[in-house]
Amino acid sequence: MKKNLPVFQLLSWLLMVVVIVGVIATGIITNITLRSVEKKLPGILLKELNDLSLVLENLSDVVHTASIAKNVPSSDNIKLLQKKIEPVYEDIVKLRDSYVFDNIVQASAFHAVVAPAIADLNIWLSEGISGLPPEDKTVTAIIFLRIEDAYQKALLQNRESRMIAQKILVEQQNRLGNFVFNANLFFVLTIIVVFCIVYLLIRQYILQIRELKAQSRLQASEAKYRRLMNNSKAMIYRQSLPDGRYEYVSPASVDIIGYTPEELYDYPMIIKDIIHSDWVEYLENQWNKLLKGEIPPIYEYQMIHKSGKIRWLHQQNILIYDEHGSLIATEGIVTDQTLFKQAEQKAINAENIAGEQRKMALVGQIAGKMAHDFNNILGIVMGNTELALLDCKEPQTKKTLKLIVEQTLRGKNLTRNLVAFAKDQEPRQEFFNLHGKIELVINLLKKDLKGISIGREDSPEVPDLLADSGMIEHALVNLLQNSIHATSMAEQPQIIIRTFLKDKNIYIEIEDNGCGIPEEAIDRIYEPAFTMKGSRDITGSYKSGIKGTGYGMANVKKYIEQHKGNISIDSKIEKGTKITLRLPVIKKGLTKKEIIEIQKENFSSKKSILLVEDEQAISDVQYKILTHEPCNHKVDVAATGKMAMDLFERNQYDCISLDYVLPGNLNGMDVYKHIRQTNKTIPILFVSGNLDFLQSIKELKHKDSCVDHVSKPCQNKDYVNAIDDLLSKTSQNST
């Protein structure tokens, strides 16, 4: 420490000298600056007085021209006078804006004399006085008197300014000299004070500064590394060996495993209690390897978070040895890999789903071809069999022919269910009366329902349903056929059909008192090709001859979910089964409550929108809600891709509402690509539930921020909000 003291003192003295030199230099520069101002002040004054003289000269020309106009009033003289006034006006404005030494040349006083007169002249020369034109002799005389008076006052003001300025200049020079003297005295005193302060500080705090610097460096280093560890999202730890006690655990342990560092300090083996049961043996083996110095640097396992949730952890370790080579600790980092694992699993599931969809697409193609050929065969067999029945007189042969007809009908139903399951198609939606549709299905199955009591409990509050009437009809046929089959052994077979409205949803219940479904089969009821009828009826629950295709319930579930609904089953053996369908209510317009809910501060209205939708029922609803309160948009409707392109070429739109499946050779994606060739930013809302499109919309939205999507069917409020959000988002991006 003594060895370094002279060096530090030398640096301190050097600093003191630098400060003193800086103060002296500042004093010298200030002195030079003030002297320069003192020398330049007369020149500045002379220039300003000269500017006043130039104004007076131009003003003199105006007086002279006004005199001529007074003697010889004419439009030419008036124009000449106006021309002479312009430079005076510009000089007066420049004088007002430029000079800051007003106390010397009194520019503002000069301006106060001349500016009003010039303003009056501009008005009188343009408009005249009291109805008299500018060329009138009386007007020209008044103009001359006004400018002559201003000119004389300006001359007087200029003479007074010169006298006052001379006096003020002397006073300014005296004050400037006094200021320079005082400034020099101040700088001298400052040098003395700075010298004393620096000397005392160096003598008093030299040792303390050294100590503080050393402590500061140490604390900064500790704080930096502790901050890095405490703010890390990974759990960082050091664990002594072989006792396994934690010497340090970062606060991230709360997020990673749910336990605080203090809890781990008190109970270091808590990790053994929270390991997932599938990984207990694995972690025990890793601990034993750790004590032998054989632990792998990286491994993964599952544990149970304090909240009860299962987490995937990724752990990295290093082993710490002392100077003798003995293992004394391990240090590591633990990160939560749960989201990554979930994403990985989702990717695997997505690939599996994609594979299943590709398989089903292939099945659909094959099923369509086979169904076409098979139905042709069935048609030939059925037609000829029915012709044979007309001429057949033999009872046994007639019975055989009827059996053939029944089996061909069963084969037709089998191919229809198979094709419906394998083929992916978007619902063709329309509004229809649900009660009428149920009545139609009952009439279609009238022959099969013979001997079965049919009960109807229909609520009058049920509105028209927006759905694919064919899909709903097919679903109802499948469900009623299942109930008919289930009640085949019942003494008093009964089927009750209920419809009611609840929580903005339409409910359809089909309840029977048939054989019921075993509990173990409930979860499999929607599996393709799964059936408990025919050869699989091991309990004798169905009448002999009843067989199932195994695709009925799979199709029903598919249809209902395509309409954003769901299906539930409540069944008990030998008691019966109740199947409940829930379908969302889509109204033909916005309710008052929905209008209030969707209105907000920046709600977009009165825009121009192109609506591309081929289904009349849907386009009518969308047109109505877009053109009425609170939207009030101007809407053009196109039913085909060609019509949409033509309308887009001829009109300007703020937003496009675009269906994906359209009639003809052009679909929604073709329309989108055509629009983007000329307009990259117009917002486009796809409205579709098509499976092929749903697989590609995420990638499209990632590439194009001006695109969004709602799936059919959608609530009117959701549709309006989607349009508004897209308009608002695009508007913000453009600004």
Side-chain angles (χ1 to χ4, degrees):
M1 187 175 289
K2 289 182 179 180
K3 198 172 185 181
N4 295 331
L5 186 58
V7 176
F8 185 81
Q9 285 182 337
L10 180 61
L11 293 175
S12 300
W13 279 106
L14 181 61
L15 176 62
M16 181 179 64
V17 171
V18 170
V19 172
I20 293 173
V21 170
V23 173
I24 294 173
T26 303
I28 293 172
I29 293 172
T30 303
N31 200 302
I32 293 172
T33 303
L34 292 174
R35 292 297 181 187
S36 175
V37 172
E38 183 180 7
K39 290 179 181 179
K40 291 181 179 179
L41 191 58
I44 295 172
L45 176 61
L46 182 62
K47 181 182 181 302
E48 294 178 355
L49 291 174
N50 183 57
D51 289 344
L52 292 180
S53 298
L54 291 176
V55 175
L56 284 173
E57 288 178 10
N58 291 333
L59 190 60
S60 176
D61 290 341
V62 174
V63 173
H64 178 69
T65 306
S67 176
I68 295 172
K70 181 189 74 169
N71 296 327
V72 185
S74 67
S75 59
D76 292 337
N77 288 336
I78 293 299
K79 291 180 180 179
L80 179 61
L81 181 56
Q82 288 176 328
K83 187 175 181 181
K84 293 291 184 179
I85 288 173
E86 290 179 2
V88 176
Y89 177 79
E90 292 174 357
D91 291 340
I92 287 297
V93 173
K94 181 179 179 182
L95 189 69
R96 181 195 63 194
D97 296 338
S98 301
Y99 293 147
V100 295
F101 292 103
D102 189 50
N103 60 323
I104 298 178
V105 299
Q106 294 185 317
S108 61
F110 189 91
H111 179 272
V113 171
V114 178
I118 295 300
D120 290 342
L121 260 64
N122 280 327
I123 297 173
W124 294 343
L125 289 172
S126 300
E127 303 175 1
I129 302 175
S130 301
L132 298 175
E135 296 85 3
D136 187 89
K137 193 169 185 177
T138 302
V139 173
T140 56
I142 294 173
I143 290 174
F144 173 76
L145 292 175
R146 180 71 176 93
I147 196 63
E148 173 65 16
D149 178 69
Y151 177 71
Q152 294 300 328
K153 289 180 180 180
L155 284 175
L156 180 60
Q157 184 65 47
N158 187 40
R159 285 194 293 271
E160 290 178 358
S161 296
R162 289 178 179 276
M163 294 173 61
I164 294 173
Q166 185 64 32
K167 181 179 178 181
I168 292 175
L169 180 61
V170 174
E171 293 176 356
Q172 292 276 18
Q173 288 175 337
N174 291 335
R175 283 198 293 268
L176 193 59
N178 293 334
F179 179 79
V180 171
F181 173 79
N182 292 332
N184 290 335
L185 180 61
F186 171 78
F187 284 123
V188 171
L189 293 176
T190 302
I191 290 171
I192 296 173
V193 171
V194 169
F195 176 84
C196 294
I197 292 174
V198 172
Y199 177 77
L200 291 175
L201 287 175
I202 291 173
R203 294 293 297 173
Q204 184 175 1
Y205 297 110
I206 185 170
L207 295 177
Q208 183 178 358
I209 290 174
R210 284 186 175 181
E211 183 178 356
L212 289 175
K213 284 184 177 180
Q215 291 179 354
S216 177
R217 284 194 296 269
L218 180 61
Q219 291 173 356
S221 178
E222 291 180 352
K224 178 177 69 175
Y225 289 108
R226 186 167 294 276
R227 186 168 57 252
L228 288 172
M229 291 188 290
N230 289 344
N231 293 333
S232 173
K233 293 184 178 180
M235 171 182 161
I236 303 172
Y237 70 92
R238 178 185 172 95
Q239 192 176 22
S240 63
L241 297 175
D243 57 1
R245 301 195 65 82
Y246 286 100
E247 298 178 3
Y248 172 78
V249 178
S250 67
S253 63
V254 177
D255 294 329
I256 301 296
I257 61 176
Y259 294 90
T260 64
E262 290 72 20
E263 289 176 302
L264 293 174
Y265 295 148
D266 296 338
Y267 185 36
M269 290 294 106
I270 196 172
I271 192 72
K272 292 186 177 181
D273 296 336
I274 61 175
I275 289 297
H276 192 279
S277 58
D278 294 343
W279 296 87
V280 172
E281 184 177 353
Y282 173 79
L283 262 295
E284 287 181 356
N285 293 335
Q286 297 304 320
W287 177 255
N288 294 330
K289 290 180 180 179
L290 173 66
L291 297 178
K292 298 177 183 179
E294 301 174 356
I295 187 171
I298 298 174
Y299 55 94
E300 294 180 342
Y301 55 92
Q302 284 180 300
M303 51 75 64
I304 302 175
H305 191 272
K306 193 175 185 179
S307 63
K309 297 180 179 179
I310 298 176
R311 297 281 182 89
W312 270 100
L313 301 186
H314 176 90
Q315 188 165 334
Q316 296 175 274
N317 303 281
I318 60 171
L319 300 177
I320 307 300
Y321 298 88
D322 61 13
E323 62 273 13
H324 304 296
S326 300
L327 183 63
I328 59 171
T330 178
E331 295 176 354
I333 299 175
V334 181
T335 56
D336 188 345
Q337 295 291 303
T338 305
L339 293 179
F340 173 78
K341 290 290 186 180
Q342 290 174 349
E344 186 178 51
Q345 187 60 44
K346 286 182 180 179
I348 294 172
N349 293 341
E351 180 61 31
N352 292 337
I353 292 172
E356 185 66 22
Q357 290 171 346
R358 289 192 293 269
K359 183 179 71 175
M360 294 309 299
L362 179 60
V363 170
Q365 295 174 1
I366 298 173
K369 180 68 169 60
M370 291 178 61
H372 176 75
D373 295 340
F374 191 57
N375 281 333
N376 287 338
I377 297 172
L378 290 176
I380 295 171
V381 173
M382 182 184 296
N384 285 282
T385 304
E386 288 178 339
L387 290 174
L389 276 170
L390 296 175
D391 300 328
C392 183
K393 305 298 182 181
E394 179 64 34
Q396 187 62 35
T397 304
K398 198 169 186 177
K399 181 178 180 181
T400 302
L401 292 175
K402 286 182 178 180
L403 178 62
I404 294 173
V405 172
E406 291 175 358
Q407 292 305 308
T408 54
L409 289 173
R410 179 171 174 266
K412 179 181 177 182
N413 187 52
L414 173 63
T415 56
R416 183 179 64 174
N417 277 314
L418 178 61
V419 172
F421 175 77
K423 184 178 179 181
D424 175 48
Q425 58 184 20
E426 184 177 354
R428 307 296 294 176
Q429 296 174 328
E430 60 181 343
F431 281 102
F432 62 88
N433 184 276
L434 180 60
H435 297 158
K437 179 62 67 175
I438 294 174
E439 189 66 30
L440 174 65
V441 171
I442 291 175
N443 288 331
L444 288 175
L445 300 175
K446 189 174 183 180
K447 181 179 179 182
D448 295 334
L449 289 169
K450 187 177 181 180
I452 300 176
S453 173
I454 298 295
R456 295 286 300 276
E457 298 178 10
D458 295 327
S459 170
E461 297 179 353
V462 175
D464 286 352
L465 177 64
L466 179 62
D468 187 313
S469 61
M471 288 185 177
I472 299 302
E473 180 181 322
H474 193 189
L476 292 173
V477 167
N478 277 321
L479 293 176
L480 279 176
Q481 282 182 334
N482 284 342
S483 292
I484 292 169
H485 294 165
T487 57
S488 61
M489 301 293 286
E491 294 182 2
Q492 296 179 343
Q494 183 182 27
I495 299 175
I496 301 175
I497 303 174
R498 303 183 185 91
T499 59
F500 57 91
L501 185 67
K502 180 181 178 183
D503 299 332
K504 298 181 180 180
N505 291 285
I506 296 174
Y507 287 84
I508 306 170
E509 290 183 353
I510 299 178
E511 184 176 3
D512 63 61
N513 62 344
C515 59
I517 304 171
E519 185 176 352
E520 62 273 12
I522 292 290
D523 294 336
R524 300 189 59 196
I525 203 72
Y526 304 114
E527 291 182 9
F530 176 79
T531 182
M532 296 183 297
K533 304 171 187 177
S535 61
R536 299 185 184 181
D537 180 18
I538 59 176
T539 59
S541 301
Y542 298 91
K543 185 178 288 186
S544 176
I546 292 178
K547 297 180 181 180
T549 64
Y551 291 93
M553 290 304 293
N555 280 333
V556 172
K557 186 174 187 291
K558 177 182 177 181
Y559 292 155
I560 299 304
E561 289 181 348
Q562 280 185 297
H563 289 81
K564 292 190 175 179
N566 60 35
I567 179 172
S568 61
I569 299 177
D570 182 16
S571 182
K572 293 182 180 179
I573 295 296
E574 297 182 0
K575 296 292 184 180
T577 300
K578 180 172 71 173
I579 295 181
T580 303
L581 307 180
R582 181 192 64 80
L583 293 166
V585 172
I586 308 296
K587 295 185 178 294
K588 297 181 180 180
L590 291 171
T591 64
K592 291 182 179 180
K593 182 178 179 182
E594 288 174 334
I595 292 175
I596 295 173
E597 288 178 355
I598 65 177
Q599 284 178 320
K600 52 180 181 282
E601 182 179 353
N602 296 320
F603 184 78
S604 301
S605 62
K606 298 181 180 179
K607 301 293 184 180
S608 181
I609 295 179
L610 175 58
L611 172 59
V612 187
E613 174 60 63
D614 65 312
E615 295 187 40
Q616 185 71 33
I618 296 179
S619 64
D620 288 346
V621 173
Q622 293 174 342
Y623 180 86
K624 181 178 180 180
I625 63 179
L626 289 176
T627 56
H628 288 70
E629 289 289 343
C631 302
N632 296 320
H633 297 310
K634 178 182 177 299
V635 179
D636 291 335
V637 180
T640 66
K642 180 66 170 59
M643 187 184 301
M645 291 180 182
D646 291 342
L647 285 171
F648 180 78
E649 293 296 332
R650 297 198 305 267
N651 303 286
Q652 294 290 329
Y653 296 104
D654 299 303
C655 184
I656 312 293
S657 175
L658 182 58
D659 190 9
Y660 178 74
V661 177
L662 297 171
N665 298 326
L666 300 174
N667 61 21
M669 188 56 66
D670 296 321
V671 177
Y672 166 79
K673 292 177 180 177
H674 176 78
I675 292 172
R676 282 293 181 255
Q677 288 177 358
T678 56
N679 192 322
K680 304 294 185 183
T681 59
I682 185 171
I684 298 176
L685 178 68
F686 279 99
V687 184
S688 178
N690 182 268
L691 184 60
D692 293 336
F693 175 72
L694 293 178
Q695 292 173 355
S696 60
I697 184 60
K698 289 185 179 180
E699 183 179 355
L700 181 62
K701 289 169 67 175
H702 179 72
K703 293 179 179 178
D704 190 344
S705 61
C706 298
V707 166
D708 205 347
H709 166 257
V710 292
S711 181
K712 288 183 181 179
C714 68
Q715 296 289 336
N716 295 333
K717 182 178 70 174
D718 296 336
Y719 176 68
V720 172
N721 282 332
I723 291 281
D724 181 62
D725 291 344
L726 199 54
L727 285 168
S728 301
K729 177 182 177 182
T730 307
S731 176
Q732 292 173 1
N733 291 340
S734 63
T735 56

